[in-house]
Amino acid sequence: MSKFSFSRLKAIKDTGFGDNFSGRFINKDGYPNIKKKGVNILNRYSWYHTMLNLKRWQFIGLLVGSYIVVNFIFALIYYSIGIEHLTGIDKSNFQNEFTDVFFFSSQTFTTVGYGRIAPVGFLASLVATFEAFLGLLAFAIATGLFYGRFSRPRAFLQFSDIALISPYKDKSGLMFRMAPFKNTSLTDASITVLASFEITENGETKSSFYTLKLEVAKITSLILNWTIVHYIDEESPFYSLTQEDLKNIDIEIIVHVKAFDSIFSSDVVQRTSYTSDEIIYGAKFEKMYGPDSTNRFTVLNLDLINSTFPASLPEIS
């Protein structure tokens, strides 16, 4: 029988999340699980931040797709004006005509201007002038976005997809781990972990937050993996938590990591979270680093960050 209770604990109020929340507070990628209303879409999003936060393939795909679409639109405009206002067009059939117009648009947009095809007349020249201006502006913006994506300090930490309830000391502990996955140099890394429990009081469901006391909350240098351990004793909100409780209670573990990147000389921050269905009861992490075959280097195997093996937990008294 579970003796799981919060009556002995004092919840914290100043989390910034509120106590009436739907779904998880923080997504796995570290961004808040929030939808905002009451403002139009142009003001709702910071498009600069959105472009910086896109995945690499999404960013490249958006640039290439936008380039093709813009040139296709301008090709339609030139074609509607009349191909007789463009010199050097192959007029043998529609496909050759439109292909020439499309490539003339791309040459104008990039200001390459090979010269075989040229606008004739005021309207075609006006459109070409505007397109060239738009192309210069677009490439300036794209260059700034590329620089912003490359120059932005990031932690580049990979978290385990799961958290564990593992045997630890004479009782048990809540554990998850992280590791840097790029050749960064992170020092003075610190971590804060909150646990959110959705409970019902007087017929009202609300979230209560508790700060988890960690065995090690700060390390000097983050080079290998770092396993975060919360010792589950009488002062822990997980005390007397059974596997059945884990299935029936909505729990979210909110992780906030801050470190100093010596290359950028700047602090970097990364967040993630774990929900009830991402916590495995009765398991331990496998070791993910060791010497190489020459015994001269230490190998950190990031493929093992989620590798576990079963482990028996002490009985809950």
Side-chain angles (χ1 to χ4, degrees), residues 265-286:
S265 294
S266 174
D267 288 331
V268 289
V269 173
Q270 193 162 330
R271 292 178 294 268
T272 192
S273 70
Y274 300 92
T275 55
S276 302
D277 56 351
E278 295 165 348
I279 303 175
I280 297 178
Y281 193 89
K284 294 187 72 174
F285 283 116
E286 292 185 1

Side-chain angles (χ1 to χ4, degrees), residues 4 10 18 42 93 120 145 168 171 183 227 238 242 248 266 269 293 306:
F4 191 54
K10 182 179 180 181
L42 294 178
N93 55 59
V120 176
L145 290 173
Y168 183 71
K171 292 184 175 67
N183 57 332
T227 301
F238 287 89
T242 65
N248 298 329
S266 174
V269 173
S293 58
N306 296 312

Side-chain angles (χ1 to χ4, degrees), residues 159 176 191-193 253-257 270-274:
F159 292 91
F176 60 91
I191 184 169
T192 303
V193 181
I253 301 165
I254 301 170
V255 181
H256 179 96
V257 180
Q270 193 162 330
R271 292 178 294 268
T272 192
S273 70
Y274 300 92

